[in-house]
Amino acid sequence: MSENMEELLEDFIYWQARVNGRLQDAEIHPAMSLLDLLRDELRLTGTHMGCMTGHCGACTVLIDGKVAKSCITPAASVQGKSVTTLEGLASDGDPHPVQQAFAEESGFQCGYCAPGMVLTTAELLAKTTDPSDEEIQQALAGNLCRCTGYQSILRAVRKAAARLAD
Amino acid sequence: MSLRVQYARPRSLDQAAELLGGLTSGAVIIAGGQELMPHLNYGRLAPSVLVDISNLNELRGIQATDSGVAIGALCVHRDIQHDALVSERAPLLAFAASQVGGGWQVQNRGTIGGNIVAMHPLYDIAPPLLALEATVEIRDQQDTRSTSLAALIADPAKQLGGAAVITQVLVPTMAAESGWAYEKLQLTAGSYGSANAAAVVTLDGNHKLASIRLVVGAVAEQPLDVSEQLGDLTGKDAETALAGVGSICEQAVTEPLSDQQGDGEYRRAMAGVIGRRAVAAAIARIMSPGEER
Amino acid sequence: MADPTAAPYVGGKVANQSGAAVSSGQAKYTADFEFHGQLHAHIVRSPHAAADILGVDTSDALKVAGVVMAMDGREAAEHLDPIPHYIDAAVFGGRTTDVRCLALDAVRHYGQPVAVVVAADKRTAQYAASRVRVSYKRREAVVDAHDALKPDAPRVIPDWDANLIMQVPFIGGDAEQAFKDADKIVRTRINIHRQSTQPIETRVYNAVWDLQEQRITLYATAQNPHPLRYVLAKTLRMPENRVRIVAPTTGGAFGLKMHGHPEEALMCLLARLTGLPVKWVESREECLLVGGREQSHEVELALRKDGRILGLRDRFVANTGAPTACPGWGMAFLTGLTMPGPYDIANVDVLMSAAVTNKPPWNASRGYGKEATALALELSLDRAARELDMDPAELRCQNFVQPEDFPKKTPTGLILDSGDYGTTVRKTLEVIDYEGWRAKQAELRDAGRYLGIGIAYELTPEGGSLPGTMVAGYDSSTVQADPSGTITVITGVTNPGTGNPTGIAQIVADELGVPIDTIRVVQGDTETCPYGFGNYSGRSTIVGGGAAALAAQEIKEKVIKVAAGLMETTEDSIQIAGGLVTSSENPDARLSFADVCYAAYTRAYDVAACIEPPLQATRTFRPGLISHAPDEEGKINPYPSYSNAAYATVCEVDIETGKVTLLRFAVTHDCGKVINPILVEGQACGAIAFGVGGMLGEQILHDAEGHQLTNDFINYTMPRAADVPAIDVAHHDSPNPVTYMGMKGAGEAGVGGSAAAVVNAVNDALAPFGVEITDLPVSAPRVWAAIRAARAQPKRKVA
């Protein structure tokens, strides 16, 4: 291998991105997940570990405004992008209407699945404020909740939708 | 397993190809990470080098070609399902991309290239691409070449080796008069498919089957293209043809998968049911084009 | 005491008070705690179900930079005693064995902890753990419970004479005679498969050693902090007062976070030895090792031809996996004890066999065995209804314990507090529009579509107390009115994620007459909270809330005394509402609750001399009805409350694929007084999702050698939003005479009733094929296979 190719290889990555509006940096292991970076390096613990295989959705964040599972997103691949976690969804200290609806309707019980439920709903309602129940269920397909049986979650989504439609 | 993993982020496709060509075994290409990260997280995969191609803009974008549409390997499922060009020229693929499991989160990050390279028998993208007779463009240190997806799936080691990158997927435009469908049987909403099927059919003026492409997935290690076996059904009226689909699909499943999505017997039977339903839905799309399925 | 029914909060839809924190990502779960010098542990687990350990070599692991410690079972045993059993079978005359944190000489199940590595970061710990070399000599594993009970089966525990924790008969009346008198005997074999509760938050332990105090603090996903403290003190050979447990916000528990797990004491030991905090976060793969519910029943009903059930027999075998210190095996006991459920069957002969095998151990699973009683009974009753050609609802109503029979002593010794089961069923049928669906079913059948309607009942003893164990029936709460007028409630019950602090706050707010937002409920710290038993058995609001009510009443008396002095009026004239203190005798005198509180603290020698300061009271709620003194037949009643509910569901079966789609669900729930419909309905719907998931998708599989095949959420498919239909929840509250305001438990009920309703609906849909599935789950492949088998048979009865 040529020398300039050798130079491409790094043991650690100097990582930089905007997280919840703030420019953050860290030195990270190449195989590190975005979840571990957020939780262990940046101490943003509002994003939760549930399975590390991308099935439960508790680790959901927004990357450039779109939902992603941070446990199966390589931290390295979000270099220079904008990441929003559940902590960062509020604007100027005011909760996002979706957060407010989930709080008011108790759209959770233990709350561990909230990152996936709230952030996916935010993305859904950015597209339509009149989703059918089937559309809501489809949108939430990447998220597991073990407590609610989904009834209160659907109520919260409907309430947030109604509020955003006004 | 080793603790040390090196990382490289080539700045161009040329550089990526040169780098991969120069590395010995143990290099793994990473893009969206949706397939790879679970294995890395659990320590089941220990590459010596991760080659991150996620910022190679040459692998992005969806473009019209003379015969169809060229989809960059880094295009994610969500882009594909909402893309106007794909929806127009290859609506089967656009729909199948919306059926990829894992929710919007995975559809926002998972790439078409990664989905193909994973060669996972339960994934959703290969069957429609095979039904559409897609080709893939592959780049390595020596050259850029095209190969049919079927050939790639039949022998990935030969086609890709350890040092090649899929750059784009070329999907021919579907005939305007064709009917299509992608059917997927999931045991529950969180399950991977127990069987899936992608169908493209055309009928002649007398509602007789003029052509048929059908690929059944999630029932065997590789998707099964049964189009040739179905050839005898062409020329028959739609209903008669349909009655013959199921058993042909079943017979094609010589070595069924057996896992928590169902045992071998079930998978073989479901190949028949889901294959037939896909063809039926494809025919229905022609017969009553206005109706939403 | 204020009239609680007139009060503003109790009974109201008060939103879960943690809503703002949860939805903004501020709730702090156990894994969110990180301490200076934090180390991380990774556990090496057995790849075999049964093997002797010939040697453990940690030397390569110790060579990895960043590794602080590596330890095998022999070394651990030098520091740690066996883990005390949560429910020791020996107390009840069963077999027991030592359970160690790390396997000593042999492994008894796949995934058993064999060694542990501690390192500066989790990636290093994981890598180093892969370099621990263990040599095993494999032994024959016993995986199936019936195989395990054969005389020549290999022994899971070599010095046991049988692979059996214990065999318990539950007998009442004269079953033999009942079966002689019967017009019809209906036999049903029911196999319930292994499932796992799988909270989305896995288990986490973070142990911090305090050198000065020689004290360990364990931050833990623990349902029962104080009892865990006792267990850790024993295991760690430490004084109990030098062990502290902190249980932060919990991301679901469902029994899985009841203690006895090896990693609890192990992390404490590692922290003590390294002098640094040591954290372990369970992976999903590890979490899936914890199982439950696998039982096979052979039920016989002795029936009169009019449908009256004269007798019940059940021989059932539980595959509890390898022995554990966790309380899982007790589920099988409760299955037997809860027979014959809500039915008035005088003659009962049930034999429970709790077998051990080389599968990974059980832990408590929401329902705690009572869900199995419901499945066994409800599937049997549906078969009986089919064989007698009776309506399933009618058959049930005919055999229920009647409202006038309460308190009703059951043949197994339980004393049912209250209920109106027949009305509950009828209400449910109305809510779901039973007749309407029956008509639709007939109509669609003609079109080749197969709808099914299933009903089921569940009786759920809740709030239990087992003598000689840390399963206690009572609990304690402290209520403190602070000098500024805020209220701090400190309670021994904990919150697994159900929202019980909101319910407790409602109760206290009403008792004191103060706004609910002035109340804060503190839980889950053994150095802050009164001694308590945490959460299990649907007890937290009954006993934690009941104790808080008693304490609040005491505080209110003091506040009234001080207020009367301040306002120069009589105590009887004082009213407190909305945080304002007024007197009917002196309408001009108004004080804020806070003013009175301040005076109570600061004027101990004049107006507040009449009370004992401070404004703090700790009280215990010990519900009645529980009786641990054996009756003449040696039977006890370990429960104060018997919540119950009727479930109904409608499904459509795709007969080509076997796939079951649920169209509708309804439940009528009797949990006595409803403190908060949001919380109660949340519990009910959550339990239904458990029942639905357990029957349609969830199944833990092992191969013939005992290797676990279900290791991730690809294969363990719990219900998602689209899998759970719209659920209508109705209430039919018959108050419990022995609890505060008539509450019954609401946290545990519903898994079995909803599961049975699903199965009964599927079988109802498949009746035209003569198909009846009682070998669970009713997953699509099984339903498909059953239809195919029925169609292959020449002629079977068509209903």
Side-chain angles (χ1 to χ4, degrees), chain A residues 32 36 39-40 43 45-46 48 50 55 86-87 99 106 108-112 137 141-142 146-151, chain C residues 16 19 23-25 29 31-32 34 122-123 196-197 250-252 284 497 682-683 685-686 698 714 718-720 725 727:
Chain A
M32 181 178 251
D36 283 353
R39 289 183 56 85
D40 299 345
R43 303 296 304 139
T45 55
H48 301 145
H55 291 96
L86 193 55
E87 294 104 318
Q99 289 175 308
S106 303
F108 64 92
Q109 277 169 32
C110 78
Y112 203 77
Q137 288 167 344
R146 195 58 160 162
C147 296
T148 60
Y150 301 99
Q151 308 291 307
Chain C
N16 190 322
S23 60
S24 62
Y29 299 84
D32 301 344
E34 186 99 2
K122 61 191 184 195
R123 186 179 300 278
S196 183
T197 52
T250 302
R284 184 54 61 186
Q683 289 301 302
C685 294
E698 301 173 30
I714 301 168
M718 306 194 296
R720 305 220 169 215
I727 303 170

Side-chain angles (χ1 to χ4, degrees), chain B residues 1 22 39 50 69 80 132 144 185 189 191 224 226 233 243 245 250:
Chain B
M1 182 184 177
H39 302 293
L50 282 172
V69 53
I80 293 167
L132 296 172
T144 301
L185 172 65
S191 304
L224 304 170
V226 293
L233 301 178
V245 173
E250 282 187 34

Side-chain angles (χ1 to χ4, degrees), chain A residues 29 31-33 36 39-40 43 45-53 55-58 69 86-89 98-100 102-106 108-115 118 136-138 140-151 154-155, chain C residues 15-16 18-20 22-27 29 31-34 122-123 196-202 249-252 254 281-284 366 496-498 678 682-683 685-687 689-690 698 712-714 716 718-722 724-727:
Chain A
H29 187 277
M32 181 178 251
S33 66
D36 283 353
R39 289 183 56 85
D40 299 345
R43 303 296 304 139
T45 55
T47 308
H48 301 145
M49 191 292 285
C51 65
M52 296 307 280
T53 56
H55 291 96
C56 77
K69 288 176 173 169
L86 193 55
E87 294 104 318
L89 191 62
V98 173
Q99 289 175 308
Q100 211 171 340
F102 270 76
E104 287 169 9
E105 286 295 319
S106 303
F108 64 92
Q109 277 169 32
C110 78
Y112 203 77
C113 68
V118 171
I136 298 171
Q137 288 167 344
Q138 285 279 319
L140 297 179
N143 304 293
L144 279 170
C145 166
R146 195 58 160 162
C147 296
T148 60
Y150 301 99
Q151 308 291 307
L154 259 67
R155 274 201 301 276
Chain C
N16 190 322
S18 60
V22 160
S23 60
S24 62
Q26 303 301 334
Y29 299 84
D32 301 344
F33 288 80
E34 186 99 2
K122 61 191 184 195
R123 186 179 300 278
S196 183
T197 52
Q198 296 302 302
I200 310 299
E201 178 201 41
T202 57
T249 303
T250 302
F254 315 116
V281 179
E282 183 180 46
S283 71
R284 184 54 61 186
R366 184 187 202 168
T498 57
I678 291 179
Q683 289 301 302
C685 294
F690 260 80
E698 301 173 30
D712 52 34
F713 283 161
I714 301 168
Y716 197 71
M718 306 194 296
R720 305 220 169 215
V724 184
I727 303 170

Side-chain angles (χ1 to χ4, degrees), chain A residues 107-125:
Chain A
F108 64 92
Q109 277 169 32
C110 78
Y112 203 77
C113 68
M117 298 299 175
V118 171
L119 293 171
T120 314
T121 302
E123 187 175 332
L124 169 71
L125 300 184

Side-chain angles (χ1 to χ4, degrees), chain C residues 632-654:
Chain C
E632 61 281 0
E633 289 177 296
K635 292 166 182 168
I636 62 168
N637 174 39
Y639 286 91
S641 114
Y642 292 84
S643 80
N644 57 92
Y647 298 83
T649 188
V650 182
C651 75
E652 179 167 5
V653 181
D654 177 341

Side-chain angles (χ1 to χ4, degrees), chain C residues 317-457:
Chain C
V317 177
N319 185 340
T320 72
T324 168
C326 290
W329 78 272
M331 292 175 64
F333 188 89
L334 262 300
T335 302
L337 191 66
T338 309
M339 295 282 182
Y343 301 106
D344 188 5
I345 304 172
N347 307 299
V348 168
D349 172 9
V350 173
L351 184 66
M352 173 279 262
S353 303
V356 292
T357 65
N358 293 111
K359 283 188 179 180
W362 279 14
N363 199 4
S365 308
R366 184 187 202 168
Y368 204 70
K370 295 162 274 193
E371 78 290 353
T373 313
L375 270 167
L377 289 173
E378 297 302 307
L379 269 51
S380 301
L381 257 81
D382 254 38
R383 170 171 282 198
R386 261 190 293 276
E387 295 204 3
L388 294 170
D389 201 18
M390 272 182 80
D391 178 79
E394 196 189 314
L395 177 66
R396 284 171 172 84
C397 289
Q398 203 184 121
N399 287 287
F400 279 142
V401 173
Q402 297 301 308
E404 61 273 16
D405 296 338
F406 295 103
K408 165 76 180 179
K409 189 162 186 175
T410 74
T412 63
L414 301 180
I415 302 167
L416 312 186
D417 61 286
S418 60
D420 183 355
Y421 307 149
T423 305
T424 306
V425 164
R426 282 186 284 274
K427 214 180 218 181
T428 307
L429 298 182
E430 226 168 83
V431 168
I432 205 163
D433 185 19
Y434 185 74
E435 295 306 325
W437 282 112
R438 281 278 175 232
K440 185 141 197 193
Q441 178 183 44
E443 181 192 316
L444 287 179
R445 245 175 223 182
D446 293 337
R449 287 175 59 187
Y450 294 86
L451 250 53
I453 304 142
I455 63 166
Y457 214 88

Side-chain angles (χ1 to χ4, degrees), chain C residues 3 66 70 121 149 174 202 224 496 537 563 605 629 686 719 741:
Chain C
D3 174 8
D121 64 273
L149 294 181
D174 186 349
T202 57
N224 320 99
S537 199
Y605 294 94
M741 284 198 226

Side-chain angles (χ1 to χ4, degrees), chain B residues 1-3 40-44 120 122 185-192 194 259-263 265-266 269-270 273-274 276-277, chain C residues 64 123-124 126-127 130 283-285 654 656-659 696-697 699 701 709-710 713-715 717-718 720 722-723 780-781 784 788:
Chain B
M1 182 184 177
S2 155
L3 195 52
L40 292 171
N41 288 339
Y42 275 87
R44 293 190 192 108
H120 195 299
L122 305 183
L185 172 65
Q186 289 171 280
L187 302 187
T188 66
S191 304
Y192 284 36
S194 294
D259 53 31
Q260 279 194 259
Q261 281 69 42
D263 63 14
E265 256 185 308
Y266 184 68
M270 290 310 107
V273 173
I274 300 304
R276 192 201 70 230
R277 287 184 182 181
Chain C
V64 177
R123 186 179 300 278
T124 304
Q126 181 188 41
Y127 168 65
S130 75
S283 71
R284 184 54 61 186
E285 181 172 357
D654 177 341
E656 280 192 322
T657 63
K659 183 169 171 162
L696 299 183
Q699 186 173 22
L701 294 177
L709 303 174
T710 311
F713 283 161
I714 301 168
N715 292 304
T717 52
M718 306 194 296
R720 305 220 169 215
D723 292 314
W784 172 82
R788 195 184 55 156

